[in-house]
Amino acid sequence: MNHIKNIWKCFEKKHSTFAKWLYQIFYFVIFSMGVTVFQYLVFTFLPGILGIGLAGTEFMWPKVSMNLFGVKFTWSLLGYNVLRDATGNILIGGGLGYFISYELGSFLAQCINFPLQRNITFKSHGNPVYQAIWYFVAWVVISLICNGFNNLWMPVASAYVAPAVYNMLVTIITGGVSMVIFFFVFKIIFPEGKAE
């Protein structure tokens, strides 16, 4: 283990900027994947806990009727279609129940992610209140972008794949898009060095 540390220190001295980026990308990915697993668990289990009542409650804004790949659905920026099986029975995994699960899982993941990224990945000593506000704003904007995109393909996916695969796709696509955008947002809101 000491040999690896010595190699890293030598590399760090020769290529300090590149080494810093590698360090940040490594920890950023590790922490992001950790909270992605947490989100997946929330997306998978919380809708069932919230029950069929919330799964059958429509919550969508705005409502735009669409038809993709033979699947008719209503697109929205916020909220999800109520999912139904072939006989018309309500399925867990849509409606207000899934919206609450998605937003709560994503928000809690960011509450875990914020201190890890700020303190370990970027070693920032900036104003934590200022950083938390900008982090929250970035999360809201990125969430809206991801919601709009997800609501285009999720109704189609739910018609053709099992719920576990559907939740995995939601997690990977949302997490992947968010991860790339967030890395550069963090580079801005988590300045390195001593507090001013």
Side-chain angles (χ1 to χ4, degrees):
M1 192 67 160
N2 285 335
H3 182 65
I4 294 171
K5 286 181 183 177
N6 290 336
I7 291 171
W8 177 254
K9 285 180 182 179
C10 184
F11 178 79
E12 209 171 14
K13 285 179 185 175
K14 290 180 182 177
H15 310 283
S16 61
T17 302
F18 185 59
K20 181 176 73 175
W21 273 80
L22 284 177
Y23 171 90
Q24 289 176 341
I25 290 170
F26 174 78
Y27 279 101
F28 176 78
V29 169
I30 294 296
F31 295 143
S32 295
M33 288 298 149
V35 297
T36 299
V37 170
F38 172 80
Q39 284 177 287
Y40 174 74
L41 294 173
V42 174
F43 297 166
T44 301
F45 296 109
L46 190 57
I49 294 168
L50 293 175
I52 201 79
L54 287 176
T57 302
E58 186 177 279
F59 174 75
M60 301 178 77
W61 179 88
K63 292 180 173 183
V64 179
S65 296
M66 298 191 83
N67 186 342
L68 288 176
F69 304 106
V71 178
K72 291 182 181 181
F73 63 95
T74 304
W75 176 86
S76 68
L77 193 57
L78 294 173
Y80 299 97
N81 287 305
V82 172
L83 298 180
R84 299 183 185 276
D85 64 14
T87 61
N89 294 320
I90 296 169
L91 298 171
I92 297 290
L96 182 58
Y98 194 79
F99 177 74
I100 291 169
S101 301
Y102 178 85
E103 294 303 329
L104 185 61
S106 181
F107 179 75
L108 292 175
Q110 300 319 313
C111 290
I112 296 166
N113 202 29
F114 175 80
L116 295 173
Q117 300 292 5
R118 179 184 183 275
N119 299 327
I120 298 171
T121 304
F122 295 95
K123 298 179 182 176
S124 180
H125 299 288
N127 182 327
V129 174
Y130 170 83
Q131 291 172 332
I133 290 168
W134 279 110
Y135 188 101
F136 180 77
V137 168
W139 172 71
V140 169
V141 171
I142 292 167
S143 291
L144 288 173
I145 292 167
C146 288
N147 283 347
F149 177 69
N150 282 341
N151 284 340
L152 282 175
W153 69 268
M154 284 170 48
V156 177
S158 68
Y160 295 108
V161 299
V165 175
Y166 167 83
N167 285 326
M168 185 66 75
L169 289 171
V170 171
T171 304
I172 290 169
I173 291 172
T174 303
V177 171
S178 298
M179 212 165 75
V180 171
I181 297 170
F182 263 124
F183 182 79
F184 294 101
V185 168
F186 291 165
K187 291 289 283 179
I188 295 167
I189 67 172
F190 294 145
E192 299 159 43
K194 295 180 180 179
E196 294 177 7

